[in-house]
């Protein structure tokens, strides 16, 4: 295991992603959680039709699974959940919360699984054990005294469809639409932009499309660390002759080279597949310009008589082409080069790959969604796809790579602050109540409400909200003023350590664990990034006899808070999750037809996607071209001494969960206190490798923000762009610095200044 070290090691990693490196990494992970024998056994069940759905990312799970259908990071997530370490009642009795607040994220979660419900005891500054029934009764009593509009019901994207449906219903029966989700920090940009442009809030590709595409354009998604199982279809596509072009400020190893750890020949011969045929280090926030350049190239070549546009598709299925084409023609290459940081020739070379591909897939991640002008980023991806009819046919389409394993599914079953996305009339009829109709708060609005005192209580279904949000140092004191905080969680994290006036931690089963209820062992379900729904069965004995399942906790909270409603059979639902699935099917008959019968279909069952059929349910009834009002997504001007800070995930973390201190592909071992800076910026600003620096915020709101303790590390980045790890860098991100329209915090270009410490 790699712990933090006073003598960190920076040796550039010269090996491909996958391969022996990932095997060695696995050999490190399993012993570190003290759980060797059964983790290995469980890993074989991961992502299989009769097994459990990985708790890490949301990438698709194939029908014909590999013998080992998991990746290094999925294995870490499983080992993390199945750890033999325990955060026991005795531990909490002997540690003050103020003391634990000094620990790093890594140390807190390394304590292991929570074992018993806890209530904060202010007089001794400790979390102390409490019986479940007392916890539920007290929380219910607190909630009943609060205005429902002042309570936030957050969900991190991991809880199952069954739990999520019950949770959203609980919030609405209580009278609150305040249902922000981790996707508010993530792919909400996708949900807003795709809904507006193609009529569905999700991507259009399925796994089999990767067998037919001729080109893939990759924007701001780090496949090697964050969705490594996607490397298999990518490698197979490249072997078939598919060409991949990548746009990313950092050279990410998984996008460069890959060795398939499941392939004995590649493993033994050291064979590797070069993933990207072109790799363009775009400036952070430069993608609108890149995409405009690609579009301009195609449109002008087509104008000149080379037939590159799919005019039949454009005429039949799209709206707004003329205005967009005019804008692309009018945009100068000088402006495109300045905003993207890339030479015209490079953009032309990429355009040629796209132009000569009969079918292309466009993949993107947080590098596009977390900017002030993130919506324009995604709209530009759509524009480019529409130009060549790359939506709604085999081997082509849009592929936003989602984060948490069920983040897309939570939105599907009603966790949303936006009333128009939820069938409220049907819920009203099904459960005989009048649901709230006004918009609830999203993540950023919840932060604003906590800052101004209008939000009085926070209930969290998983996650680490207070650590994942922007402006963490500003948020913590305001957070502590809330009346009530309740966290349903598997492990202790920093968010729990800033208690409100009354605070509870409710420990739950993980997805890998056996969940036995009145009718016997239960299964749950999740939706992957490609809209396929999978059943999942846990088999390990629970980490503690005192844990409850997430559905049981949600039902008990609801019963303690709400008047009884004969139409909402909480107990029956907890006794048999199949009855929750019946209820989901009744609310969403199109998407979940025969839910119980189909949930274990190998490869998942497909929820369906109209855009894939070229039915675009937009305002105009057609797919929409959009003209961006700017070329730079950053949302602030360049100024002398102002940098664009990219906040990054290492290869050894899952969001705020830090597994260790080894960012293998970036060659960083033993530390996370790193500021990645280009050699050109180091020379210009007078920094040497290892120099200690202070970062300060440089946002137009003028509020003071500061991060100390980082050391400069030379790294290939475009000039003016620097990078540091999330969540440590979140103190520098203003709450007000978020995507317009989607509200996603703009974590991929934060305006900051750097100084010697
Ligand atoms: N192991 C592991 N797996 C995970 C997670 C994890 O933390 N660990 N998190 C999960 C979650 S919730 C999510 S949302 C996903 C996140 O997965 P990704 O979408 O891959 O998110 P990031 O790693 O934050 O950043 C993606 C990439 O964007 C690049 N980038 C930054 N700025 C720009 C830009 O302006 N333009 C372009 N083109 N690129 C840019 C960065 O260099 C980085 O390579 O992964 C999920 N899977
Ligand atoms: N600067 C910056 N900030 C970011 C990002 C970024 O790229 N840069 N990315 C954003 C993104 S994409 C996301 S999705 C958010 C992540 O925000 P969250 O989803 O809120 O955070 P996580 O770190 O995934 O949550 C980890 C915690 O979840 C709990 N947990 C784990 N498994 C379970 C379970 O099965 N049940 C329950 N009830 N709890 C469980 C554990 O207690 C663990 O401590 O962060 C966002 N913040
Ligand atoms: Mo995410």
């Amino acid at each position: 295991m790699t712990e933090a070290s006073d003598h960190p090691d920076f040796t550039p990693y010269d090996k491909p992603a996958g391969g022996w490196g990932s095997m060695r990494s696995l050999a490190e992970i399993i012993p570190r959680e003290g759980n060797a024998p059964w983790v290995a056994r469980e890993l074989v069940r991961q992502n299989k039709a009769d097994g459990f759905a990985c708790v890490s990312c949301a990438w698709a799970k194939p029908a014909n699974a590999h013998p080992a259908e998991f990746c290094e990071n999925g294995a870490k997530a499983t080992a993390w959940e199945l750890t033999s370490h325990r955060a026991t009642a005795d531990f909490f009795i002997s540690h003050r919360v103020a003391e634990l607040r000094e620990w790093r994220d890594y140390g807190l979660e390394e304590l292991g699984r929570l074992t018993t419900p806890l209530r904060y005891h202010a007089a001794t500054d400790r979390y102390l054990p409490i019986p479940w029934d007392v916890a539920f009764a007290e929380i219910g009593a607190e909630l009943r005294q609060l205005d429902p509009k002042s309570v936030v019901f957050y969900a991190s994207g991991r809880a199952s469809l069954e739990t999520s449906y019950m949770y959203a219903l609980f919030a609405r029966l209580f009278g609150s639409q305040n249902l922000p989700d981790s996707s508010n920090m993530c792919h909400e940009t996708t949900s807003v932009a795709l809904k507006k442009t193609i009529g569905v809030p999700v991507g259009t590709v399925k796994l089999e499309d990767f067998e037919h595409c001729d080109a893939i354009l990759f924007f701001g998604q780090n496949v090697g660390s964050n969705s490594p199982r996607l490397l298999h279809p990518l490698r197979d596509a490249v072997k078939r002759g598919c060409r991949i072009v990548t746009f990313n400020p950092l050279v990410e190893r998984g996008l460069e080279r890959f060795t398939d750890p499941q392939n004995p020949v590649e493993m033994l011969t050291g064979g590797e597949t070069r993933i990207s045929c072109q790799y363009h280090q775009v400036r952070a926030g430069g993608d609108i310009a890149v995409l405009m350049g690609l579009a301009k190239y195609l449109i002008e070549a087509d104008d000149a008589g080379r037939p590159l546009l799919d005019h039949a598709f454009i005429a039949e299925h799209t709206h707004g082409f003329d205005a967009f084409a005019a804008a692309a023609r009018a945009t100068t290459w000088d402006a495109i080069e300045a905003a993207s940081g890339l030479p015209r020739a490079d953009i032309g070379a990429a355009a040629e790959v796209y132009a000569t591909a009969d079918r292309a897939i466009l993949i993107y991640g947080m590098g596009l969604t977390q900017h002030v002008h993130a919506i324009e980023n995604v709209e530009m991806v759509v524009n480019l796809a529409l130009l060549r009819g790359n939506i709604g046919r085999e081997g082509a389409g849009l592929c936003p790579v989602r984060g948490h394993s069920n983040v897309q599914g939570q939105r599907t079953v009603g966790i949303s602050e936006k009333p128009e996305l939820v069938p409220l009339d049907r819920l009203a009829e099904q459960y005989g109540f009048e649901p709230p109709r006004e918009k609830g708060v999203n993540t950023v609005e919840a932060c604003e409400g906590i800052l101004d005192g209008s939000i009085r209580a926070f209930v969290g279904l998983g996650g680490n909200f207070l650590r994942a949000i922007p402006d963490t140092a500003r948020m913590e004191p305001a957070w502590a003023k809330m009346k009530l905080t309740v966290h349903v969680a598997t492990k202790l994290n920093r968010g729990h350590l800033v208690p409100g006036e009354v605070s509870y931690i409710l420990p739950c089963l993980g997805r890998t664990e056996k969940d036995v209820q009145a009718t016997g062992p239960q299964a749950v379900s999740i939706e992957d990034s490609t809209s396929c729904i999978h059943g999942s069965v846990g088999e390990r004995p629970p980490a503690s006899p005192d844990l409850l399942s997430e559905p049981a906790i949600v039902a008990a909270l609801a019963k303690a808070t709400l008047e009884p409603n004969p139409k909402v059979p909480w107990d029956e639902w907890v006794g048999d999750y199949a009855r929750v699935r019946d209820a989901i099917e009744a609310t969403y008959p199109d998407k979940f037809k025969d839910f119980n019968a189909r949930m274990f279909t190998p490869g998942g069952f497909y929820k369906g996607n109209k855009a894939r059929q070229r039915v675009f349910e937009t305002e105009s009834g057609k797919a929409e071209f959009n003209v961006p009002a700017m070329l730079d997504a950053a949302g602030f001007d360049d100024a002398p001494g102002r940098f664009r800070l990219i906040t990054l995930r290492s290869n050894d973390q899952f969001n705020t969960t830090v597994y260790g201190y080894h960012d293998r592909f970036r060659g960083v071992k033993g530390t996370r206190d790193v500021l990645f800076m280009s050699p050109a910026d180091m020379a210009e600003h007078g920094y040497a490798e290892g120099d200690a620096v202070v970062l300060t915020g440089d946002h137009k709101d003028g509020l003071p923000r500061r991060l100390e303790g980082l050391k400069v590390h030379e790294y290939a980045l475009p000039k003016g762009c620097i990078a540091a790890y999330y969540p440590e860098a979140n103190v520098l991100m203003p709450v007000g610095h978020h995507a317009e329209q989607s509200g996603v915090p703009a974590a991929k270009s934060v305006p900051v200044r750097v100084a010697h410490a």
Side-chain angles (χ1 to χ4, degrees):
M1 159 192 39
T2 306
E3 302 269 2
S5 160
D6 292 338
H7 305 286
D9 173 6
F10 299 96
T11 311
Y13 190 73
D14 59 1
K15 315 234 166 16
W20 291 112
S22 68
M23 284 297 162
R24 259 195 300 277
S25 177
L26 278 179
E28 277 182 7
I29 299 154
I30 294 180
R32 108 171 144 205
E33 299 292 353
N35 52 12
W38 61 81
V39 169
R41 228 170 20 240
E42 283 304 297
L43 286 175
V44 178
R45 299 182 59 246
Q46 188 153 319
N47 296 325
K48 300 287 173 56
D50 56 350
F52 67 92
C54 180
V55 291
S56 190
C57 81
W59 184 244
K61 293 131 186 68
N64 304 315
H66 288 90
E69 187 58 40
F70 61 87
C71 66
E72 170 188 346
N73 284 334
K76 282 183 196 168
T78 303
W80 176 92
E81 184 166 296
L82 290 174
T83 180
S84 61
H85 306 170
R86 297 288 178 271
T88 61
D90 285 347
F91 172 85
F92 286 101
I93 292 167
S94 54
H95 289 80
R96 293 180 53 219
V97 167
E99 177 201 332
L100 294 174
R101 245 192 326 264
E102 300 302 312
W103 292 28
R104 293 199 68 155
D105 303 278
Y106 171 72
L108 294 174
E109 296 213 10
E110 265 302 288
L111 287 170
R113 293 287 299 278
L114 295 160
T115 57
T116 190
L118 301 162
R119 174 180 57 197
Y120 181 63
H121 188 245
T124 56
D125 187 31
R126 281 169 172 80
Y127 271 107
L128 298 175
I130 177 178
W132 277 108
D133 54 345
V134 177
F136 291 136
E138 290 182 1
I139 296 167
E142 293 288 345
L143 283 172
R144 280 198 305 273
Q145 288 183 16
L146 288 161
D147 173 0
K149 311 285 180 280
S150 72
V151 181
V152 163
F153 293 88
Y154 172 68
S156 157
R158 190 176 285 206
S160 64
L161 292 168
E162 292 80 356
T163 308
S164 304
Y165 179 83
M166 292 167 69
Y167 189 65
L169 182 61
F170 164 37
R172 293 201 170 90
L173 286 163
F174 177 62
S176 177
Q177 200 111 249
N178 293 337
L179 283 157
D181 177 284
S182 62
S183 65
N184 285 141
M185 300 181 243
C186 186
H187 271 291
E188 186 61 17
T189 301
T190 294
S191 309
V192 173
L194 293 189
K195 180 101 182 106
K196 177 175 151 201
T197 52
I198 61 167
V200 293
V202 297
T204 65
V205 301
K206 293 182 74 180
L207 205 44
E208 56 259 36
D209 290 315
F210 286 85
E211 294 164 21
H212 305 285
C213 57
D214 307 305
I216 297 174
L217 301 193
F218 233 104
F219 296 90
Q221 201 272 333
N222 185 10
V223 58
S225 290
N226 297 334
S227 51
R229 287 182 305 105
L230 167 55
L231 284 168
H232 294 274
L234 291 183
R235 171 187 161 280
D236 293 347
V238 171
K239 294 247 178 233
R240 275 194 299 104
C242 170
R243 295 205 285 163
I244 300 184
V245 177
T246 296
F247 295 92
N248 195 312
L250 278 80
V251 178
E252 303 282 26
R253 184 45 49 91
L255 289 160
E256 272 197 311
R257 288 181 275 144
F258 175 56
T259 292
D260 183 357
Q262 319 251 357
N263 179 324
V265 178
E266 282 195 357
M267 288 294 274
L268 291 173
T269 58
E272 58 182 42
T273 304
R274 182 158 288 281
I275 296 291
S276 302
C277 69
Q278 292 178 21
Y279 203 111
H280 302 293
Q281 287 187 266
V282 59
R283 209 159 81 105
D287 301 272
I288 302 174
V290 167
L291 285 149
M292 190 56 105
L294 296 170
K296 180 179 175 70
Y297 185 98
L298 297 180
I299 291 166
E300 290 183 350
D302 194 85
D303 289 345
R306 188 175 162 206
L308 293 185
L309 305 188
D310 186 341
H311 287 288
F313 172 82
I314 292 171
E316 189 181 346
H317 292 293
T318 73
H319 171 250
F321 168 75
D322 290 340
F324 176 71
R329 290 181 198 110
T331 307
T332 66
W333 281 107
D334 282 352
I336 291 169
E337 287 189 332
S340 67
L342 295 176
R344 172 179 178 173
D346 286 9
I347 298 176
E352 271 303 318
V353 172
Y354 185 65
T356 50
D358 184 25
R359 316 163 205 215
I361 292 178
L362 291 89
I363 301 184
Y364 68 89
M366 298 299 101
L368 292 199
T369 64
Q370 296 178 330
H371 286 287
V372 169
H373 299 303
I375 294 285
E376 287 80 356
N377 271 335
V378 176
E379 286 175 353
M380 280 302 306
V381 169
V382 173
N383 290 337
L384 189 69
L386 297 180
L387 286 178
R388 289 185 47 77
N390 273 318
I391 292 187
R393 58 196 175 96
E394 188 179 58
L398 306 173
C399 183
V401 182
R402 298 270 170 171
H404 270 298
S405 51
N406 193 36
V407 64
Q408 188 168 312
Q410 294 197 327
R411 292 307 214 193
T412 305
V413 296
I415 293 193
S416 177
E417 72 284 1
K418 296 177 183 163
E420 67 276 16
L421 300 184
V422 184
L424 293 177
D425 291 337
R426 198 167 298 144
L427 287 174
E429 193 189 319
Q430 201 172 340
Y431 299 111
F433 78 119
E434 189 36 55
R437 300 279 170 169
E438 73 293 337
K439 192 188 158 299
V441 295
N442 63 20
T443 289
V444 161
E445 290 157 352
C447 292
E448 289 164 349
I450 293 165
L451 286 170
D452 71 21
S454 58
I455 297 294
R456 301 294 299 136
F458 178 93
V459 182
L461 180 62
N464 189 2
F465 187 84
L466 185 53
R467 195 74 176 126
I469 55 177
D471 255 340
T472 35
R474 232 179 115 215
M475 288 301 302
E476 287 190 4
W479 183 272
K481 293 195 185 125
M482 275 193 285
K483 182 80 182 77
L484 173 71
T485 63
V486 179
H487 300 279
V488 181
T490 51
K491 288 204 184 172
L492 185 67
N493 63 46
R494 189 171 171 89
H496 308 150
L497 297 174
V498 185
E501 245 174 78
V502 190
S503 286
Y504 300 82
I505 304 176
L506 307 179
C508 65
L509 292 176
R511 199 184 289 155
T512 51
E513 286 166 320
K514 191 164 193 146
D515 181 355
V516 182
Q517 302 293 347
T519 58
Q522 303 297 315
V524 294
S525 53
I526 61 107
E527 173 180 336
D528 71 27
S529 246
T530 61
S531 306
C532 291
I533 289 153
H534 305 260
S536 174
V537 183
E539 281 193 349
R540 290 300 310 160
S544 148
D546 209 13
L547 301 184
L548 292 181
S549 75
E550 289 179 322
I553 293 172
V554 172
L557 288 173
K559 283 172 55 183
T561 310
L562 308 171
E563 294 299 320
N565 174 343
K567 291 190 160 177
V568 191
W570 297 110
D571 290 332
E572 193 190 321
W573 282 352
V574 175
D576 184 358
Y577 300 171
R579 300 289 76 80
V580 187
R581 289 186 285 274
D582 289 340
I584 295 175
E585 184 176 338
T587 310
Y588 305 93
D590 316 341
K591 294 173 182 152
F592 289 97
K593 192 169 174 320
D594 298 328
F595 192 177
N596 278 302
R598 293 198 295 162
M599 71 184 281
F600 287 104
T601 310
F605 74 83
Y606 191 50
K607 189 181 79 174
N609 183 322
K610 295 251 172 75
R612 206 178 149 81
Q613 266 68 59
R614 297 191 161 179
V615 175
F616 298 107
E617 293 183 332
T618 61
E619 248 171 48
S620 65
K622 299 195 169 188
E624 298 280 351
F625 278 98
N626 281 281
V627 179
M630 73 299 292
L631 289 178
D632 184 350
F636 54 86
D637 294 332
D638 290 314
R642 178 181 290 162
F643 287 90
R644 295 175 178 215
L645 173 70
I646 303 171
T647 58
L648 286 179
R649 294 167 161 78
S650 91
N651 188 54
D652 215 4
Q653 77 182 80
F654 189 92
N655 297 338
T656 68
T657 294
V658 175
Y659 297 129
Y661 289 80
H662 191 182
D663 194 1
R664 188 156 51 90
F665 301 138
R666 301 195 187 109
V668 177
K669 193 169 187 175
T671 182
R672 291 175 54 82
D673 300 325
V674 180
L675 181 69
F676 298 92
M677 191 184 263
S678 71
D681 281 323
M682 286 171 68
E684 181 176 328
H685 300 275
Y687 294 107
E689 177 76 20
D691 279 359
V693 285
V694 185
L695 271 67
T696 49
D698 194 19
H699 189 249
K700 61 182 179 216
D701 70 8
L703 294 175
R705 297 184 177 86
R706 192 177 170 84
L707 177 62
E708 295 181 22
L710 303 192
K711 292 194 171 155
V712 171
H713 174 49
E714 180 184 315
Y715 206 82
L717 274 160
K719 201 160 169 306
C721 302
I722 53 177
Y725 293 117
Y726 138 71
E728 289 85 342
N730 285 30
V731 285
L732 295 166
M733 265 167 57
V735 166
H737 184 60
H738 57 75
E740 288 169 358
Q741 302 177 60
S742 71
V744 172
K748 294 297 184 268
S749 42
V750 183
V752 297
R753 289 179 178 270
V754 185
H756 277 102

